[in-house]
Every structure is written in C-alpha cells, then in structure tokens.
Amino acid sequence: MNDNTATPVTIIGLGLMGQALAGAFLKAGHPTIVWNRTSSKADQLVARGARLAPTLGDAIEAGSLTIICVTDYPALYELLDADDVELDGSTLINLTSGSSSQAREAARWAEQRGTRYLDGAVMAVPSAIGTADAVILHSGPQTDFAIHESTLGALGTVTYLGADHGLASLYDVAGLAMMWSILNAWLQGTAMLRTAGVDAATYAPFARQIAAVVAEWLPGYAEQIDSGSFPAEVSALETDVRAMEHLIEESEAVGVNAELPKLLKTMADRAIAAGHGKEQYPVLIEEFGKLRND
C-alpha cells in the first residue's frame, strides 16, 4: 500500500451519495472515517471497515481530508459552526449542491476559520461513484487540489476547473441545462411521433443519432461565440425560424404541447428584430445572456 492509498479520509453526511463516496474510498484502500447525525446509516460502512467517529469534531480531526456532502449549505454551517468543531488547519472539500455565490461565501467562511477549502460538484448518480463514469468537479486553489488529486481519484474522474470557488457549481447547473434540454427535445419529438403510432423505443435510436450530430457542432459554434462573429456557414437564423414555425404548426396539428418550440422561436424572433437574422444560430447567445423579467 503506497502513501497515497493510505491517506485517511473523513466523510460527513451519509445520505445515498455520502455512503457511495465512503464506499469508494474503502474499496480503494483508504482508512475511512464517517460521521452522520443518524449513526445507524454508518452500519454497513462500518461492517466494511469504516470507523464511525463518536463526534463530528473527532471525525474531522481523524482524517487528513474531510469531504462533506449534506442537504444544503445551511446544513453545512449548522454542523461545522458548532462550538466543539475545530477546523483550523484542516482541508475541507464540499460536495454539497448549491449556487456559485454560496460556494464563494463558503470559501470566505472557511478561510476565516483557517481551513483549506475546495468546492465541488458530483456529476453522477451514487451507483457510478468509484468508476470512470463519475465526473467530480473541483474548484478552488490549485495547490490544495494537487495535494489530494490522487486520493480523490478513488471517486471517479476528477476534474479541476480553476481558482474561482464558484466554478464547480456553475458547471453543475450548466450540465443540468444540457441534460434537461436534450431530454425535453426528445420528449417533444416522442410526443409527436406517438400520435402516429411510433413508440419511444423506436424513436430513441434516431434521436440519439441526431443528438450526437449536433454535439459535433459545439466546438465550431464555441469559436463563433468566443470570437463574437457568427457567419452563416450552415444556416441563417431567419431560416431556422421558418423551421421552428413548422415544428410549432405540426405540434399543434397533432395535438401536442407547443410551449417549448414557441419559447425558442420567441427568442429567435427577438434576435432577428435586433438585426441578427442572417447570422448563424449561436448568435442567440446574446438572448441567453440577458435576464428578462417580462
């Protein structure tokens, strides 16, 4: 067993994700200390070799690295702000879901307590933890990440995003935007095809092929966004709008909800009204970048 494998790790919070995190460290050979308000949630982990700390303070003191994964940031503060918890000199990685502003505030809070702090996000379901399919995002000081990168590798594919503590949370919600957009587009098409007797399983392979083709466009479209130039190399936005009209009309004709394509067309119409009709679809970044209250 090498020195890195022997690194003691503390896990605070033993919901489904916390248990998966602790299990992955145990499997990788790390001495694993666990703590949870309801101690019985640690029973299976203890049976596999984890050590249940009697108090939260003991748990943090026992590990070289503490990972917390609880309900939300208020729960984090409630636990770690207790009088009997000493954080000075510890290293804390927070995998609790929240906003980028909460992550940055937590980093300031940790600094005031002498704690090295990384914020993170888990882009995986609990069953994937410990495999390469589990993507774990981290943001904060690179030196702190580098010290523990190999240890964190027990959880899956670890990715460092940058010094801004809020980046992991931002990537997290950006990933959710991708996930829901793909699923919603598939559901829209599935609902339409069902009216013609085509089931979801039959449509799914075609939809997957379309999604893969569109994904190939992203690097080129990213170059346009970053350069601020949107030449219509494939299709102009005014042409895309005509296709959106067709999607809306067909949806309504077969009795399927058309709210989603109508929303997209509304945004495209605004971009065209602003003079972008002859530019390519990524010019809509200007619309997505605006906060609207109407």
Side-chain angles (χ1 to χ4, degrees):
M1 181 179 293
N2 59 40
D3 291 340
N4 186 62
T5 303
T7 301
V9 180
T10 291
I11 304 295
I12 299 171
L14 297 177
L16 292 177
M17 185 59 73
Q19 291 184 43
L21 298 172
F25 282 120
L26 282 170
K27 185 176 180 180
H30 293 272
T32 304
I33 304 95
V34 296
W35 184 89
N36 192 73
R37 276 177 166 166
T38 305
S39 59
S40 60
K41 288 190 174 183
D43 289 349
Q44 292 186 2
L45 292 167
V46 170
R48 294 171 56 188
R51 178 163 71 85
L52 176 63
T55 69
L56 178 55
D58 291 332
I60 293 172
E61 184 178 352
S64 300
L65 174 67
T66 296
I67 296 176
I68 184 166
C69 184
V70 291
T71 306
D72 51 28
Y73 279 75
L76 178 150
Y77 293 129
E78 181 182 354
L79 291 174
L80 299 184
D81 253 343
D83 291 338
D84 59 344
V85 175
E86 178 58 57
L87 294 174
D88 188 29
S90 65
T91 297
L92 177 66
I93 296 181
N94 179 25
L95 297 182
T96 300
S97 295
S99 68
S100 57
S101 61
Q102 286 179 312
R104 295 180 185 114
E105 176 57 35
R108 290 188 288 270
W109 171 89
E111 183 179 7
Q112 293 170 358
R113 287 156 180 77
T115 305
R116 290 179 292 278
Y117 179 86
L118 291 167
D119 206 89
V122 180
M123 309 298 290
V125 296
S127 60
I129 298 299
T131 74
D133 291 335
V135 176
I136 318 294
L137 308 176
H138 299 275
S139 52
Q142 186 171 17
T143 52
D144 293 339
F145 173 76
I147 291 170
H148 299 287
E149 181 176 4
S150 295
T151 298
L152 293 168
L155 301 179
T157 303
V158 295
T159 302
Y160 176 73
L161 300 173
D164 177 0
H165 285 90
L167 283 175
S169 292
L170 282 174
Y171 267 77
D172 184 17
V173 293
L176 293 176
M178 285 291 298
M179 178 186 74
W180 286 324
S181 295
I182 293 169
L183 289 174
N184 288 337
W186 176 68
L187 291 171
Q188 179 81 36
T190 299
M192 295 174 68
L193 285 166
R194 286 175 66 188
T195 67
V198 179
D199 60 24
T202 300
Y203 173 51
F206 175 77
R208 183 177 182 180
Q209 183 181 16
I210 294 296
V213 170
V214 173
E216 292 297 319
W217 301 348
L218 298 184
Y221 280 7
E223 290 180 6
Q224 289 194 344
I225 291 172
D226 291 341
S227 69
S229 177
F230 306 94
E233 300 167 349
V234 177
S235 176
L237 186 59
E238 59 189 13
T239 302
D240 292 326
V241 164
R242 289 195 289 272
M244 292 176 188
E245 291 171 352
H246 177 56
L247 172 57
I248 294 167
E249 291 167 1
E250 185 70 25
S251 296
E252 293 179 335
V254 297
V256 167
N257 189 307
E259 290 175 278
L260 180 58
K262 282 182 177 179
L263 172 61
L264 297 176
K265 183 177 180 297
T266 296
M267 298 178 71
D269 285 341
R270 286 199 296 259
I272 290 173
H276 300 296
K278 297 189 181 304
E279 296 177 273
Q280 195 155 260
Y281 197 85
V283 75
L284 281 180
I285 189 65
E286 305 301 331
E287 289 297 319
F288 279 97
K290 296 174 183 176
L291 178 63
R292 300 186 66 91
N293 297 312
D294 53 357

